[in-house]
C-alpha cells in the first residue's frame, strides 16, 4: 500500500471544506495510508518574497523527511486527465516509490527552489482556486485516481 502525504501551507478554516476532506479521507483509507501535513503560513503581506522563502524552507524540509515522489500543485505545471494521472500513480509505485507527496504551497505561491525540489509540477486548471478549496479538490482527485486503479464505479 502506497503512503500519500498531503503537504500544505496553512489550515482549512471553512467547516464545509473540512467535511468534504474528512469524507474523502475516510474513502481513501481503503486504498492508501494518508497523512495531512499542515505547515505554518507566514502570510506577511508586506514582504511576500520573505513569506515564500520561509514557507519554502518548511516545504523542502518536509519533503526531504518524507522521501518519496513529490508532486507540486502549480498553475504552470503539466495537465493530466484523471485516467492519465491514475496511470502516473501506478507508474510511480511500480518504479519503487512507496510514498507520494502532494504539495500545495502558500497563497503567494512557491519559490524556484521548491519547483526544483519536486519530481513533477502538476496543474489542475488555468483557473486560480482558493487554497482551502484546492485542498478539497486534490483530495477528491486523489480518491478518483485510486478508484480508477481499483476499478471502482466512482469514476464514470
Amino acid at each position: 500500500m502506497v503512503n500519500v502525504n498531503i503537504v500544505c501551507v496553512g489550515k482549512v478554516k471553512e467547516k464545509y471544506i473540512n467535511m468534504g476532506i474528512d469524507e474523502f479521507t475516510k474513502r481513501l483509507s481503503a486504498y492508501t495510508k494518508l497523512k495531512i501535513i499542515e505547515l505554518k503560513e507566514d502570510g506577511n503581506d508586506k514582504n511576500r518574497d520573505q513569506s515564500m522563502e520561509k514557507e519554502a524552507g518548511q516545504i523542502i524540509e518536509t519533503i526531504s523527511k518524507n522521501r518519496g515522489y513529490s508532486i507540486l500543485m502549480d498553475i504552470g505545471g503539466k495537465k493530466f486527465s484523471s485516467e492519465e494521472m491514475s496511470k502516473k500513480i501506478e507508474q510511480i509505485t511500480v518504479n519503487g516509490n512507496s510514498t507520494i507527496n502532494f504539495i500545495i504551497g502558500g497563497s503567494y505561491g512557491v519559490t524556484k527552489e521548491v519547483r526544483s525540489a519536486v519530481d513533477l509540477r502538476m496543474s489542475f486548471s488555468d483557473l486560480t482556486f482558493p487554497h482551502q478549496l484546492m485542498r478539497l479538490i486534490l483530495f477528491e482527485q486523489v480518491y478518483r485516481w485510486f478508484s480508477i486503479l481499483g476499478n471502482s464505479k466512482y469514476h464514470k
Side-chain angles (χ1 to χ4, degrees):
M1 185 178 281
V2 67
N3 299 308
V4 171
N5 296 321
I6 309 290
V7 179
C8 38
V9 175
K11 295 188 177 294
V12 173
K13 298 171 183 123
E14 300 294 338
K15 185 177 178 181
Y16 73 96
I17 293 175
N18 275 317
M19 289 171 59
I21 289 170
D22 289 346
E23 178 61 30
F24 286 110
T25 298
K26 283 184 226 161
R27 293 181 188 191
L28 277 163
S29 67
Y31 297 107
T32 184
K33 184 178 175 196
L34 179 72
K35 185 163 75 169
I36 301 168
I37 303 169
E38 291 183 331
L39 306 175
K40 188 175 192 283
E41 185 173 26
D42 187 65
N44 182 345
D45 287 331
K46 292 180 182 173
N47 194 335
R48 291 178 176 204
D49 289 340
Q50 185 179 30
S51 284
M52 286 176 24
E53 287 293 331
K54 284 182 182 177
E55 293 166 359
Q58 293 180 84
I59 292 168
I60 292 169
E61 181 181 337
T62 300
I63 62 176
S64 294
K65 283 182 193 173
N66 296 283
R67 295 177 192 210
Y69 194 92
S70 294
I71 301 171
L72 175 66
M73 301 297 104
D74 185 357
I75 199 165
K78 183 175 176 13
K79 292 183 179 81
F80 293 87
S81 70
S82 294
E83 294 85 356
E84 289 169 337
M85 194 57 199
S86 68
K87 286 178 186 167
K88 181 70 176 173
I89 287 177
E90 186 175 46
Q91 175 192 10
I92 290 167
T93 59
V94 166
N95 288 340
N97 289 291
S98 60
T99 300
I100 302 173
N101 300 305
F102 290 97
I103 303 144
I104 301 174
S107 58
Y108 303 135
V110 296
T111 63
K112 290 178 186 175
E113 290 78 20
V114 171
R115 285 188 181 94
S116 297
V118 300
D119 299 294
L120 176 66
R121 293 172 41 226
M122 178 182 181
S123 175
F124 281 174
S125 171
D126 291 332
L127 301 172
T128 302
F129 297 104
H131 279 69
Q132 292 184 37
L133 186 56
M134 186 63 222
R135 196 179 312 183
L136 176 56
I137 294 168
L138 176 60
F139 272 82
E140 189 280 334
Q141 285 298 297
V142 171
Y143 177 70
R144 182 176 300 275
W145 302 329
F146 278 98
S147 69
I148 291 169
L149 290 172
N151 294 313
S152 163
K153 293 180 182 179
Y154 181 78
H155 178 73
K156 296 173 181 142

